[in-house]
Amino acid sequence: MKRHFGTLIFTLLLVAGIASMAHAEEVTLDKVIVSARGSDRLQSQTPGGTGVVEKEEIILAPTASIADSISRISGLTKTGDSPWGQDVSIRGLTGSSVVVLIDGMRINTATEINARLGFINPMDVERVEVLKGPVSSLYGSGSTGGVINVITKKGKFTSESDVSGEAILNWSTNPQGPDGYGRAVLSLKDLWIQASMGIRDHESFYGGDGTRISNSQYEDVYLRLAGEKKWSDLLTTRFQAMNIEANNIGIPGGSATMPQNAAITYPRSKNSLVSLDTVFTPKSDVVQEVLFNLYYTKNDRRVRIDKPAPPIAYVSPMADHETFGGKIQGEFGIGNHNIVTGLDAWNWHMVSKRAKHLVAGPVIKDKPTPTSTMLSMGIFAEDDWKLNEAFTLNLGARLDRIEVSNKANAIYDKGTEEDLGWNIHTGLTWTPAKNWSHTVIVASSYRAADILERFKNINLAPGIISRGNPNLDPETSYYFEYGLHYTTNTLSVTGAAYINYINNYIEEKQKTAALYEMENVGKARIYGLEMDANWRFAEHWDLYGNIAFANGRDLENKEALRSVAPINGLGGIRYTMGNGFWARLETPWALRQSEVPHGTERSDGWITCNTAAGYDFTMGKIDNSVSLSVNNIFDKKYQNYLANSRGVELLEPGISAAINYQIAF
């Protein structure tokens, strides 16, 4: 009962807030997205699946990872093994098939336990834009499944000098612990500088039946300095330096490639990002913008695996991943054409080591994965061609040269592999009548195998090895999607149907009783349907929801793909009022997943109920916002089919309440 006492108090306060009949900001029914074409486009006018989550939704979601908030988008489902280490599946593809960006810059990491979405504090995020599938030519290898672009908060130029800022305090009951965030901005007519900081510290969470999910704790400290200098009306330079360091991160289920009794933690996981952008915006009808970007990221991964197999007491693998990258990108207006084109390159370098600490005392050191480098250089172009008032044609293409090289170690010989990859697509937007639009896209793209898929060497159990394959061919994807959109001031409905064929599909296969190895297994097919709707059916009232269905098959082995989520969705009702109060009630749900590959357990269906309410008010020159939220109100015990648990009953969190207080000045 003690565990639920704080939750009960919050729930009573929340019910009082709902009874007051609350307000939230006006809903924008047709959102703008930049990541698909490199310039502003309405979602209803963009061929290919897209999704957007704004900062207001991010704040209300659990704060461990932005995976919690972006999984509200239809077709996206949380995966992973811990709150901090969550990833997402986009229409059945995940991990190396999805590119993760921070402000357009690639975050590379190669471990069996993915944690890219934990490498930024959600409170410092302005919005997240998602591309579903290979619908853009701007990003290159790894975007066959889609792209997640995390866009951070930034300052702005002001006509007079100004100091502004915000502070956010959050406390939740499950996982219990606080979150704190602060941001200060100095703004001038030709300069702004911003400093932000965040701290998160949470205990292990409890499942719906009161079971403590041990080793699911997380804590980290986040720092970011950013700014922009206006040299003239035509030229500006932006910079940022970001660092997040997490300690004692628990992985309750751990990697699927490790024995069930091997507890896994991150004693330290650290990510740093430094970037410099120069933007030239000439007063020309033809040359609209030219961007020069340089960036450097480094993530240090320290892992501890306890009791992996006798006579080893624990193993401490480590890996450092460095990526240097940059691009030159221009936007041009030529007649009825809006063209975004450029060059980009990135170089990903990995160094890893491992120490095996024996029960008897000695330590054995080795390099299971050789020092490796992956270099990608590409040229790309996107053209939106307005044929007439009803039709807009989108053409996109890119060509990449990818080189992967490695030094020799005990398992792999020194070698170099080269791939030539591409993305090419044709999209069409047809607006036959006011409020209606049809979108169609046909695309072909590729994904080169990453460093881990080529060179990993992991002891799964005594005498059993999981190994990479340096000779993997790139996956190639052939993709089609049709979308239908209807948008008015009170109603927005979007439907989509898609199919994705993938040749040379990369998967781990059992070669012998003692060896698992990565290989190209042939063809895979994923198809699905999605629908999103928002209906403002009365003054102050909105109904909203989405539903997603996907089916994935390994056509070579005639079985289901593991990373495809069951039919799932979200339904909700929102009440808004002009006096500063707001409230909502919503129900995420998923059906039973019975289409599973051999050796994988089926999952049961589930439905939960979440609610939130808040009040926005101004005192003097300070804007205040307080909100209360309760997730899984009825303490439902359930599991996520895509959770990676190694046979452990890895439950989703039970009832959880959170209070959030924000001030802005």
Side-chain angles (χ1 to χ4, degrees):
M1 290 300 295
K2 289 183 179 180
R3 181 175 72 87
H4 294 303
F5 181 76
T7 300
L8 178 61
I9 297 298
F10 280 137
T11 304
L12 293 174
L13 291 172
L14 181 58
V15 170
I18 293 175
S20 299
M21 294 306 196
H23 163 63
E25 296 182 8
E26 283 290 311
V27 177
T28 302
L29 297 185
D30 196 0
K31 295 183 179 180
V32 171
I33 190 164
V34 179
S35 302
R37 306 290 168 243
S39 59
D40 292 356
R41 294 291 182 274
L42 291 173
Q43 287 185 276
S44 64
Q45 303 294 310
T46 303
T50 62
V52 178
V53 175
E54 305 287 356
K55 61 183 178 181
E56 292 79 11
E57 291 295 345
I58 295 171
I59 289 295
L60 289 176
T63 58
S65 166
I66 57 171
D68 287 290
S69 55
I70 65 176
S71 61
R72 296 173 58 86
I73 298 171
S74 62
L76 273 68
T77 306
K78 289 190 301 181
T79 69
D81 39 44
S82 69
W84 193 87
Q86 287 174 343
D87 200 354
V88 294
S89 169
I90 301 179
R91 292 178 171 177
L93 294 175
T94 188
S96 299
S97 296
V98 174
V99 172
V100 173
L101 311 168
I102 295 178
D103 290 326
M105 291 164 285
R106 181 181 289 248
I107 302 299
N108 284 319
T109 181
T111 67
E112 288 290 283
I113 309 168
N114 212 330
R116 295 174 296 177
L117 297 181
F119 280 152
I120 188 166
N121 189 303
M123 294 183 181
D124 203 32
V125 175
E126 182 70 24
R127 71 202 311 250
V128 182
E129 298 185 350
V130 175
L131 309 182
K132 307 176 190 178
V135 299
S136 175
S137 293
L138 301 179
Y139 303 106
S141 180
S143 60
T144 49
V147 176
I148 299 170
N149 189 13
V150 181
I151 300 169
T152 59
K153 294 178 178 177
K154 298 175 179 65
K156 61 182 179 180
F157 301 117
T158 56
S159 57
E160 298 181 358
S161 60
D162 181 61
V163 176
S164 61
E166 65 177 316
I168 304 174
L169 297 175
N170 185 86
W171 191 82
S172 63
T173 63
N174 185 25
Q176 183 171 302
D179 298 270
Y181 169 80
R183 182 171 74 108
V185 184
L186 171 65
S187 301
L188 306 171
K189 64 179 181 180
D190 59 357
L191 174 71
W192 64 262
I193 297 177
Q194 167 187 293
S196 53
M197 176 181 181
I199 299 174
R200 300 184 286 186
D201 186 1
H202 288 262
E203 300 176 359
S204 294
F205 70 89
Y206 289 83
D209 61 352
T211 300
R212 183 174 183 268
I213 309 301
S214 60
N215 198 37
S216 60
Q217 73 283 345
Y218 63 91
E219 61 180 74
D220 60 30
V221 176
Y222 171 87
L223 298 168
R224 180 168 165 264
L225 180 67
E228 186 171 10
K229 169 67 176 175
K230 181 189 290 186
W231 306 104
S232 70
D233 290 340
L234 308 181
L235 187 67
T236 63
T237 297
R238 280 194 307 266
F239 75 91
Q240 69 173 319
M242 184 189 77
N243 185 80
I244 186 169
E245 181 170 337
N247 300 107
N248 191 33
I249 302 296
I251 313 296
S255 170
T257 59
M258 296 303 299
Q260 181 176 331
N261 66 331
I264 303 177
T265 56
Y266 292 154
R268 191 186 79 181
S269 189
K270 179 179 177 182
N271 185 65
S272 302
L273 167 64
V274 179
S275 67
L276 187 69
D277 298 316
T278 296
V279 181
F280 178 54
T281 52
K283 295 179 179 179
S284 166
D285 292 335
V286 175
V287 183
Q288 298 175 358
E289 181 180 280
V290 179
L291 166 68
F292 301 88
N293 164 257
L294 291 172
Y295 68 93
Y296 167 76
T297 69
K298 181 180 181 182
N299 64 71
D300 307 333
R301 308 293 289 275
R302 305 295 182 264
V303 184
R304 177 177 171 125
I305 306 170
D306 289 298
K307 301 178 181 178
I312 303 172
Y314 69 94
V315 179
S316 53
M318 61 82 67
D320 293 338
H321 306 269
E322 293 182 294
T323 301
F324 290 90
K327 69 178 175 182
I328 301 173
Q329 178 175 298
E331 182 178 355
F332 305 90
I334 304 174
N336 293 327
H337 297 265
N338 185 269
I339 300 171
V340 175
T341 186
L343 309 166
D344 64 14
W346 50 268
N347 186 84
W348 171 16
H349 182 68
M350 183 182 74
V351 177
S352 68
K353 299 177 183 178
R354 180 174 62 187
K356 299 178 181 178
H357 300 258
L358 304 183
V359 175
V363 178
I364 302 172
K365 296 183 178 181
D366 65 355
K367 286 178 64 68
T369 301
T371 299
S372 312
T373 301
M374 187 172 184
L375 172 65
S376 173
M377 297 180 290
I379 181 171
F380 58 86
E382 287 273 352
D383 178 14
D384 267 4
W385 179 8
K386 193 169 183 61
L387 303 176
N388 54 43
E389 290 301 316
F391 290 94
T392 300
L393 184 66
N394 170 247
L395 302 172
R398 73 174 290 137
L399 185 66
D400 292 273
R401 178 184 176 273
I402 298 174
E403 179 181 290
V404 179
S405 60
N406 68 289
K407 295 183 178 180
N409 72 346
I411 303 299
Y412 298 102
D413 295 329
K414 179 179 179 180
T416 300
E417 291 286 335
E418 295 183 3
D419 290 320
L420 192 64
W422 69 90
N423 175 290
I424 185 169
H425 68 260
T426 300
L428 181 68
T429 300
W430 175 35
T431 308
K434 183 180 179 181
N435 305 323
W436 288 93
S437 65
H438 302 260
T439 55
V440 177
I441 190 167
V442 179
S444 177
S445 67
Y446 74 99
R447 181 180 78 82
D450 68 22
I451 291 172
L452 187 66
E453 290 171 320
R454 293 176 185 270
F455 303 121
K456 70 176 178 178
N457 180 40
I458 300 171
N459 292 311
L460 303 181
I464 301 178
I465 302 294
S466 173
R467 190 167 293 168
N469 182 348
N471 300 314
L472 289 170
D473 294 324
E475 295 178 343
T476 56
S477 169
Y478 301 95
Y479 183 86
F480 171 83
E481 181 175 346
Y482 166 75
L484 176 62
H485 316 266
Y486 179 76
T487 306
T488 70
N489 292 331
T490 58
L491 178 63
S492 173
V493 181
T494 295
Y498 63 89
I499 187 166
N500 195 358
Y501 281 96
I502 304 170
N503 290 331
N504 294 321
Y505 185 70
I506 298 173
E507 194 173 51
E508 186 175 68
K509 290 293 183 181
Q510 185 171 5
K511 307 292 288 187
T512 68
L515 177 64
Y516 290 79
E517 188 174 66
M518 304 302 296
E519 65 176 42
N520 296 107
V521 298
K523 295 183 179 180
R525 180 199 64 212
I526 303 172
Y527 63 86
L529 301 169
E530 293 170 5
M531 179 172 286
D532 297 80
N534 194 121
W535 178 29
R536 194 161 297 152
F537 65 93
E539 187 178 7
H540 309 310
W541 291 92
D542 288 77
L543 281 174
Y544 60 93
N546 61 55
I547 184 171
F549 157 77
N551 181 279
R553 299 287 296 175
D554 176 348
L555 300 179
E556 192 78 9
N557 296 293
K558 297 180 179 172
E559 64 178 10
L561 297 179
R562 172 66 179 92
S563 58
V564 178
I567 298 174
N568 65 90
L570 172 73
I573 186 168
R574 180 190 300 113
Y575 182 85
T576 61
M577 195 73 169
N579 61 0
F581 288 96
W582 61 266
R584 76 179 188 192
L585 181 69
E586 59 185 33
T587 56
W589 57 272
L591 298 184
R592 172 181 171 84
Q593 178 59 291
S594 56
E595 295 287 332
V596 299
H598 178 72
T600 301
E601 293 185 6
R602 293 173 171 83
S603 68
D604 294 329
W606 54 267
I607 183 169
T608 64
C609 188
N610 305 331
T611 190
Y615 179 52
D616 305 331
F617 60 98
T618 300
M619 296 180 62
K621 295 183 179 180
I622 298 177
D623 295 326
N624 298 261
S625 178
V626 61
S627 64
L628 297 165
S629 60
V630 180
N631 291 329
N632 197 355
I633 295 172
F634 302 109
D635 210 19
K636 171 73 174 179
K637 176 184 177 182
Y638 71 103
Q639 292 177 272
N640 174 10
Y641 168 70
L642 293 181
N644 176 8
S645 63
R646 295 181 300 144
V648 176
E649 189 178 26
L650 187 57
L651 302 175
E652 292 297 298
I655 186 171
S656 174
I659 183 169
N660 182 282
Y661 184 68
Q662 305 175 53
I663 61 170
F665 58 90

